[in-house]
Amino acid sequence: MRHGQGFDLMLQDWLRLAGQPETAQAEPEPGFARYEPRFDYTPRDLLDAPGPGPGATEWLPVLARLATQMHLGALRVAPDGPLPAAYTYLGQFAVHDLVNSAGFRTTRDRNLPRRLFGNIQSPALDLASLYGGGPGGSPAFFEPTEETEHRARFRLGWMRDSAGRPTRQEDIPRIPLGPATGDAPDDPRMDPLLADTRNADNLILSQLAVLFMKAHNRLHDLAHARAVAGNAHHRLLARPFEAARCLLTSSYRRILRHDFLPRLVAPETLARAFAPETRPHPSVSLEAALAVLRFGHALVQPRYDFNAVHAETGPAGAAGLERLMDFFGMRPSRDLPVDDSWVIDWGLFLALPGQPPHPRMNHARRLGPTLAEPLRNHPGTRIAPPAELPGLAGFRLGLAFRTMAKGLMARLPTAQAVAREAQAAGWIGPDAVMSPAAIAAALRAGRTAACTAGQCPSEADIALLSERTPLFWYVLAEAAHFADGARLGPLGGALLAETFAMALADPGFGGEPGLDAAADALWRELAPPGQPLPATLPDLVAFAAGPPPA
């Protein structure tokens, strides 16, 4: 959730360009893949279309009012959704694996909406955000053996007890900054030692990264033991790291396809996206990267029962989201190294195999056009209103505003334009689109008693937004309108399913023609007969906690 840490600087840059004639063009930084729009649009399809209506910078106060309402609306007491909370963070982990808009240049060329943001991730769900360059390219992520410099197992970070003594390796690895790292002697920060430091955004997400690391280490140990015993047959077992990576990547992709997506996308939408005759878009689209894939922010709860200690009924009380975000490490904090009372109890976030669901299991919030209030209050998501825009003075701006402002700067089309093209492509029918009246009703329903002093959309704003709707808000609103917030709606579900179908295409592995086929062959050698490779998140949790090889 600590996305776009350079957003303030990018906003200032964009504001300087916003008043210039629309002639300057800019390309992404070298090495970045462009986000291309999924469909062809005209300038009239963009949110800040030419002609009557707000200009680019005039849209920002409208988006600020809409974003404020989205955060205030989350303060209402509402029943949770059916999704176990662990899948909120699995989705965030997967999106980090797929999209990283860390570099960009701004443009005022209305004909080049696609060229604002670039992606430095490969358009595949392949755990690149966990493995980085592997032991050869990212050796610091992996522990050396005592005898040699060979590296194959992930490093894990130590937690401490109340006296500050290291007790358990249950955290991500972190590097204390100081002279040894070229930093100031009194630098109090600890740098997350991860291929993608966004996976240290909050403690639930970093504990999920630890889960994948522990699963890799156990797979490596199984492969290594088989190779040492001299009865290995598959060629990848000669390289236990590669065997473990193949197995974990295949397991992760099966979890996303068969455990994650069916919980969030209608079955018929998934069937169409994954049909053999369907040809998905060849990369992550602009609409997906800057709107649809960010739907998971609406699932985040403001507090969680984290374990027996940090729970509503525990001695420390429930873990607030802002507290969980304090463990990032790149901001001075008293929280690192992490106290050993913060080992996550996954049984509070999903139903574990062979156990009844915990009576206090955390569930995600129902999808709808609201985001938890900590996502605009925490320093990791908060934005300072720029002085150049007096219309933003007095607003507390956070993640909802950041997301929609990025869409404006990237020249995202309106939700109406995307829905029109999706209908033309046969993805959705005309009855699967929210009408202007339905959008206006949802906007009015979002008002709360906390909407005071012009902080939320006016009737004039609602008239505008019901005809020209930001795609991010629409994806959340249609989930509530068509699916009661239990899953994504028709348009968001179709775009998510297509993106994942593209990213889950079997890429092969290490010279093997098929990743899954190689993983199945490896697993037959390593696992007891009848034990399948983990294909659900609960099964992966159980596997990672299993015993070392005999």
Side-chain angles (χ1 to χ4, degrees), residues 91-111:
Q92 188 178 357
F93 184 89
V95 170
H96 290 174
D97 198 28
L98 191 58
V99 170
N100 189 346
S101 307
F104 40 76
R105 293 178 181 173
T106 53
T107 176
R108 284 292 296 147
D109 187 340
R110 196 181 296 275
N111 295 314

Side-chain angles (χ1 to χ4, degrees), residues 382-403:
R382 196 165 58 225
I383 302 165
E388 295 92 334
L389 284 177
L392 296 183
F395 282 96
R396 279 191 292 139
L397 303 176
L399 195 58
F401 175 80
R402 181 192 302 246
T403 301

Side-chain angles (χ1 to χ4, degrees), residues 42-368:
T42 69
R44 281 294 306 162
D45 291 329
L46 305 181
L47 199 62
D48 61 328
T57 56
E58 295 169 316
W59 262 101
L60 291 175
V62 178
L63 297 180
R65 291 189 286 273
L66 179 57
T68 299
Q69 179 168 294
M70 293 174 74
H71 286 293
L72 292 177
L75 296 174
R76 288 173 167 162
V77 177
D80 293 338
L83 186 72
Y87 294 93
T88 299
Y89 296 91
L90 176 63
Q92 188 178 357
F93 184 89
V95 170
H96 290 174
D97 198 28
L98 191 58
V99 170
N100 189 346
S101 307
F104 40 76
R105 293 178 181 173
T106 53
T107 176
R108 284 292 296 147
D109 187 340
R110 196 181 296 275
N111 295 314
L112 295 176
R114 69 196 65 187
R115 296 175 186 250
L116 181 57
F117 287 83
N119 189 15
I120 63 173
Q121 297 288 60
S122 62
L125 289 161
D126 56 6
L127 287 179
S129 64
L130 182 74
Y131 283 103
S138 304
F141 301 159
F142 303 90
E143 59 186 23
T145 63
E146 293 181 4
E147 301 84 9
T148 70
E149 286 297 314
H150 178 72
R151 299 167 188 260
R153 301 174 88 254
F154 276 106
R155 293 182 188 272
L156 292 171
W158 286 92
M159 289 184 168
R160 63 182 179 184
D161 63 14
S162 57
R165 296 173 299 229
T167 55
R168 307 175 65 176
Q169 282 187 284
E170 295 282 353
D171 189 25
I172 58 172
R174 306 173 191 267
I175 300 176
L177 300 186
T181 58
D183 298 288
D186 57 349
D187 195 323
R189 297 173 298 167
M190 296 188 73
D191 198 358
L193 192 57
L194 296 173
D196 190 331
T197 57
R198 293 176 300 170
N199 288 332
D201 271 357
N202 61 75
L203 199 58
I204 302 174
L205 189 56
S206 64
Q207 288 281 280
L208 184 65
V210 169
L211 170 66
F212 279 96
M213 292 174 180
K214 290 170 69 175
H216 166 90
N217 288 352
R218 185 164 185 235
L219 288 165
H220 168 269
D221 293 347
L222 289 170
H224 179 72
R226 181 83 175 185
V228 169
N231 55 359
H233 299 288
H234 197 287
R235 67 179 187 85
L236 286 180
L237 288 172
R239 294 171 290 160
F241 170 83
E242 297 297 334
R245 182 171 185 171
C246 174
L247 286 161
L248 185 60
T249 302
S250 180
S251 175
Y252 161 70
R253 291 159 61 89
R254 295 176 203 211
I255 290 168
L256 294 176
R257 173 64 184 91
H258 301 293
D259 189 24
F260 175 74
L261 284 176
R263 297 174 185 270
L264 287 158
V265 180
E268 62 274 16
T269 303
L270 283 178
R272 183 193 61 79
F274 284 88
E277 65 273 14
T278 299
R279 297 185 62 186
H281 197 57
S283 62
V284 181
S285 68
L286 185 74
E287 299 90 331
L290 297 184
V292 177
L293 292 179
R294 297 165 190 260
F295 78 93
H297 295 153
L299 297 171
V300 173
Q301 292 279 15
R303 66 190 60 81
Y304 295 93
D305 281 355
F306 194 82
N307 55 27
V309 175
H310 300 279
E312 198 71 41
T313 57
L321 179 61
E322 291 185 84
R323 181 79 176 92
L324 294 171
M325 294 172 70
D326 283 341
F327 291 95
F328 177 58
M330 291 306 289
R331 199 172 48 254
S333 169
R334 59 183 170 80
D335 295 308
L336 299 174
V338 179
D339 187 89
D340 61 9
S341 70
W342 283 105
V343 177
I344 196 168
D345 179 356
W346 285 113
L348 286 168
F349 289 82
L350 43 69
L352 295 178
Q355 300 180 23
H358 197 287
R360 294 188 59 85
M361 188 169 72
N362 300 289
H363 285 81
R365 297 178 63 248
R366 283 189 179 272
L367 282 169

Side-chain angles (χ1 to χ4, degrees), residues 66 69 367-369 414-420 422-423 428-446 462-485 487-492:
L66 179 57
Q69 179 168 294
L367 282 169
T414 65
Q416 286 79 8
V418 183
R420 180 196 69 216
Q423 286 185 73
I428 59 175
D431 57 345
V433 180
M434 289 182 72
S435 66
I439 292 171
L443 287 165
R444 293 190 182 99
I462 290 174
L464 171 68
L465 291 166
S466 62
E467 298 285 349
R468 308 193 66 76
T469 311
L471 182 58
F472 175 65
W473 183 93
Y474 180 90
V475 166
L476 301 180
E478 69 154 5
H481 183 78
F482 289 109
D484 193 29
R487 63 172 183 248
L488 287 166
L491 183 60

